[in-house]
């Protein structure tokens, strides 16, 4: 039986949880592990300041842990997908308290995410010419009842939530869409968000994969650049194959951006409620942009 749990900091700055057992001598020694949090102090300070400002705004005079500790717990859950009960035991709070802190920080970060039009206009002012657009499926647990089929992606053969993301030419994330049902097609999501209208308003173009064929409704003045798809009985010419290679080469940076986003292991298999998925994605967008800049 574990009687005491405490935290300690290693010389390299990583934090660990140590459990002490002093009840029965015949039992094995307690196990202890340390988990490095590969994030910069800038990110930790930014989240801690958000929590500190929020507590001052709502007039909260006391929390069991300091804003810095709350930020550390939330970042550990998001980065390593730590179980809430494990983090609660380590800091001697309840799992419901950790969940409340997690949702609080997620929504505070989500409010800092830019809207689509503002993100595109800012990129245009910096001299950007094109953006990269792609879709991603976030795996979730299988739903029950009427929500089962709409969240099943026939393309990827799993349940999940669909999200669109825009990056610049270097692979820096600039915007993510709302989370939608897993069966949503890329073109349907892009039309719902009026991607082409926002691109024309900002004077930008976009490079996309074959999943976005048919999105641009103005062939005389296209803003969406895609490759060519071969059809039955109609092979691609040498020029079309070369164009597909150029598009794939430019889109490689987009895959790096998705890799940066998936480094937050909470997206490995989402266990939060679907109603919090959009706020979570936008919070991770803010954190990713703080950590990664190409």
């Amino acid at each position: 039986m574990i009687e005491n749990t405490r935290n300690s900091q290693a010389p390299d700055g990583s934090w660990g949880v140590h459990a002490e057992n002093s009840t029965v001598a015949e039992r094995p020694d307690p196990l202890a592990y340390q988990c490095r949090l590969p994030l910069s102090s800038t990110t930790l300070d930014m989240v801690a300041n958000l929590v500190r400002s929020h507590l001052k705004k709502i007039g909260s005079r006391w929390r069991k842990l300091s804003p810095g500790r709350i930020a550390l717990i939330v970042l550990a859950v998001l980065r390593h997908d730590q179980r809430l009960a494990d983090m609660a035991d380590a800091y001697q709070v309840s799992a419901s308290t950790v969940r409340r802190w997690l949702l609080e920080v997620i929504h505070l970060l989500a409010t800092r995410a830019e809207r689509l039009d503002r993100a595109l206009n800012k990129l245009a002012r910096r001299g950007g010419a094109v953006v990269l657009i792609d879709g991603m499926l976030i795996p979730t647990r299988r739903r029950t009842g009427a929500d089962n089929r709409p969240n099943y992606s026939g393309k990827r053969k799993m349940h999940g939530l669909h999200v669109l993301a825009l990056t610049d030419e270097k692979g820096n994330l600039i915007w993510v869409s709302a989370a939608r049902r897993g069966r949503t097609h890329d073109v349907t999501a892009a039309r719902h968000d009026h991607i082409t209208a926002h691109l024309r308003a900002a004077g930008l173009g976009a490079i996309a994969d074959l999943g976005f064929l048919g999105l641009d409704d103005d062939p005389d003045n296209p803003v969406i650049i895609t490759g060519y798809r071969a059809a039955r009985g109609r092979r691609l010419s040498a020029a079309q194959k070369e164009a597909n290679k150029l598009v794939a080469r430019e889109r490689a940076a987009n895959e790096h951006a998705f890799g940066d986003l998936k480094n937050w292991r909470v997206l490995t298999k989402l266990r939060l409620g679907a109603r919090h998925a959009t706020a979570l994605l936008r919070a991770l967008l803010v954190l990713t942009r703080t950590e990664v800049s190409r």
Side-chain angles (χ1 to χ4, degrees):
M1 179 177 180
I2 297 176
E3 289 187 347
N4 186 22
T5 304
R6 60 186 178 87
N7 307 316
S8 63
Q9 187 176 18
D12 59 356
S14 59
W15 289 90
V17 181
H18 296 265
E20 297 180 356
N21 188 341
S22 59
T23 55
V24 183
E26 288 77 9
R27 292 183 180 179
D29 294 334
L31 299 178
Y33 72 93
Q34 290 184 345
C35 184
R36 182 187 297 271
L37 191 61
L39 297 174
S40 64
S41 58
T42 302
T43 301
L44 179 62
D45 293 340
M46 184 262 292
V47 177
N49 290 333
L50 277 179
V51 175
R52 194 173 292 110
S53 300
H54 177 68
L55 296 181
K56 184 178 180 180
K57 180 179 180 180
I58 65 177
S60 178
R61 298 182 178 180
W62 181 83
R63 287 280 175 93
K64 190 166 185 179
L65 296 179
S66 65
R69 293 290 185 181
I70 294 175
L72 182 64
I73 292 173
V74 172
L75 290 175
V77 173
L78 296 177
R79 191 68 171 187
H80 292 302
D81 197 19
Q82 295 282 2
R83 305 286 177 168
L84 301 185
D86 295 341
M87 300 301 297
D89 290 341
Y91 288 89
Q92 298 181 355
V93 295
S94 65
S96 60
T97 299
V98 176
R99 178 180 176 83
R100 185 172 65 252
W101 290 343
L102 174 65
L103 294 178
E104 183 180 63
V105 173
I106 284 175
H107 287 279
L108 288 175
L109 288 170
T111 58
R112 296 173 63 91
E114 292 180 329
R115 298 187 318 188
L116 176 58
D117 53 349
R118 294 179 180 177
L120 293 178
N121 289 332
K122 182 180 291 186
L123 180 62
R125 289 195 298 269
R126 294 201 305 262
V130 297
V131 296
L132 309 177
I133 180 172
D134 202 356
M136 179 179 66
L137 185 73
I138 303 172
T140 61
R141 294 178 296 182
R142 179 176 178 176
R143 302 293 184 84
T144 58
D147 292 335
N148 180 30
R149 294 302 301 175
N151 289 280
Y152 182 77
S153 173
K155 177 181 178 181
R156 297 175 176 85
K157 309 300 181 185
M158 66 174 64
H159 291 79
L161 297 174
H162 179 273
V163 60
L164 290 178
L166 294 181
T167 67
D168 60 12
E169 300 172 357
K170 297 180 180 179
N172 296 308
L173 281 168
I174 60 176
W175 177 80
V176 292
S177 70
R180 298 184 174 91
R181 293 177 173 181
R183 70 178 182 183
T184 305
H185 196 275
D186 291 340
V187 173
T188 303
R191 287 173 178 168
H192 186 275
D193 291 324
H194 307 287
I195 296 293
T196 55
H198 286 293
L199 288 173
R200 287 193 174 93
L204 298 173
I207 300 177
D209 60 10
L210 296 178
F212 291 87
L213 279 174
L215 173 61
D216 204 333
D217 54 0
D218 189 359
D220 296 331
N221 184 26
V223 295
I224 306 294
I225 302 174
T226 60
Y228 296 91
R229 177 178 292 168
R232 181 177 297 179
R234 187 184 64 190
R235 297 183 178 180
L236 296 180
S237 63
Q240 291 173 335
K241 291 181 180 179
E242 187 64 26
N244 284 349
K245 291 181 181 179
L246 293 175
V247 171
R249 186 183 307 164
E250 294 297 327
R251 290 188 60 257
N254 199 3
E255 301 302 327
H256 295 311
F258 277 125
D260 296 332
L261 189 62
K262 291 178 181 178
N263 279 335
W264 301 95
R265 297 180 185 175
V266 70
L267 297 180
T268 302
K269 194 166 187 177
L270 191 62
R271 292 190 296 272
L272 282 176
R275 65 184 182 277
H276 302 299
T278 299
L280 172 64
L281 287 167
R282 290 172 179 169
L284 296 182
L285 167 66
V286 174
L287 292 174
T288 302
R289 294 188 62 176
T290 304
E291 282 291 308
V292 181
S293 179
R294 293 184 175 88

